[in-house]
Amino acid sequence: MKNTIARAAQSLGLTEKRIITLGISKIDSRQSKTVYKDETKRTITITASEYQTIANLKRELDAYKELQAGTEKIGKKQLTIKTETMRGKKITRINWIEQATYEQGRGKIKICFTTKIMPYLCAIENRFTTYKINDTAGIKSIYAWRLMEFLISWSAKKEGQRTIPIKNIQEMLEIPTSYETGGTIARIIKPAINELEKRNWKIKCETEKTGRKISHITFTWRKP
């Protein structure tokens, strides 16, 4: 996916994130954008067994249930991209899915990506984020998953370091506005880091203040 997606608010819960990621994994990112104007080429089949693997579920029946629940929600989910312009901030919202179909009794769903989202998923030559889908198997926190994507988007190498305004992190992770900066770090970022460290990531998180308030976070990381 383009880095734009990895650094944007995605509005996806854990179930929808798994479905979208499985769908993206089946798209040939080298193909021309024009190829995917064909609805059949934007329509992806995801099986319960594939979902069971990425969700690390013991029973395939649970995968059926989560896929069904996911298709009920996913059509309303939007990617939100914010860009700075000479006239101020521009906010673009793009629907992920044009159509989602749950095939009862067949253990699979079909999702059709929108034509507007496809330019972020195909004909990608530079500035992209990539990782193995197996690296996400069993992730229990959407915040950990999104933080992983965010860090990978800044460095394709094993190691990286980045200083980021905390407001950008809050927007990207879609942290409730009721959370103060301290709550964001203690209740969201640190637990996300802990989960990634259990998956052999090494992450150091340091805060910086502007005046009396924490304004930036510096992440230093090493991927497994």
Side-chain angles (χ1 to χ4, degrees):
M1 67 182 78
K2 285 193 174 180
N3 288 342
T4 306
I5 288 185
R7 299 172 191 169
Q10 297 183 357
S11 77
L12 300 173
L14 197 53
T15 298
E16 300 99 70
K17 180 63 176 173
R18 289 167 179 157
I19 291 171
I20 289 292
T21 303
L22 282 165
I24 292 174
S25 74
K26 297 187 177 187
I27 290 173
D28 186 349
S29 61
R30 299 166 297 180
Q31 289 285 343
S32 167
K33 299 171 190 176
T34 58
V35 171
Y36 290 100
K37 289 182 178 179
D38 182 348
E39 183 178 317
T40 60
K41 296 186 183 299
R42 288 185 282 112
T43 301
I44 308 295
T45 299
I46 297 168
T47 68
S49 61
E50 290 170 332
Y51 185 91
Q52 183 183 8
T53 298
I54 192 175
N56 197 23
L57 298 173
K58 292 182 179 179
R59 302 190 309 164
E60 197 170 68
L61 178 61
D62 293 329
Y64 295 156
K65 292 178 179 178
E66 290 194 17
L67 282 177
Q68 184 174 12
T71 56
E72 293 172 2
K73 299 176 183 178
I74 205 166
K76 300 176 183 178
K77 301 297 183 177
Q78 293 182 322
L79 177 74
T80 301
I81 299 171
K82 297 182 180 181
T83 51
E84 297 291 341
T85 71
M86 295 292 291
R87 296 183 178 181
K89 188 173 288 186
K90 181 174 72 173
I91 302 173
T92 303
R93 292 184 172 87
I94 305 171
N95 283 57
W96 285 98
I97 299 297
E98 187 176 297
Q99 180 176 303
T101 305
Y102 175 73
E103 300 191 12
Q104 193 169 15
R106 301 191 65 186
K108 64 182 179 181
I109 65 170
K110 289 183 178 179
I111 58 172
C112 179
F113 286 102
T114 61
T115 55
K116 294 293 186 181
I117 206 73
M118 291 310 298
Y120 297 92
L121 305 178
C122 58
I124 301 173
E125 296 178 354
N126 53 40
R127 297 182 182 178
F128 61 90
T129 301
T130 182
Y131 54 88
K132 294 180 180 179
I133 194 168
N134 287 344
D135 292 343
T136 69
I139 284 184
K140 296 179 176 63
S141 163
I142 188 63
Y143 295 124
W145 194 330
R146 293 291 290 116
L147 179 61
M148 181 194 76
E149 277 187 346
F150 190 66
L151 297 180
I152 291 173
S153 77
W154 290 110
S155 176
K157 300 176 181 179
K158 277 273 188 182
E159 300 177 343
Q161 185 179 74
R162 191 77 184 183
T163 300
I164 305 155
I166 193 163
K167 66 177 182 178
N168 291 7
I169 291 287
Q170 290 170 321
E171 288 179 358
M172 183 274 294
L173 292 179
E174 297 167 278
I175 295 169
T177 54
S178 59
Y179 281 31
E180 297 290 340
T181 300
T184 293
I185 295 169
R187 298 171 63 183
I188 303 293
I189 294 176
K190 287 189 176 179
I193 289 173
N194 288 340
E195 181 164 354
L196 292 177
E197 287 183 332
K198 290 176 183 177
R199 308 172 77 86
N200 297 321
W201 279 70
K202 304 294 182 185
I203 303 175
K204 185 178 181 181
C205 170
E206 298 176 298
T207 58
E208 298 179 15
K209 289 185 177 181
T210 300
R212 295 183 178 181
K213 292 185 177 181
I214 295 172
S215 58
H216 292 73
I217 298 178
T218 297
F219 292 99
T220 305
W221 69 91
R222 180 177 176 81
K223 298 187 291 185

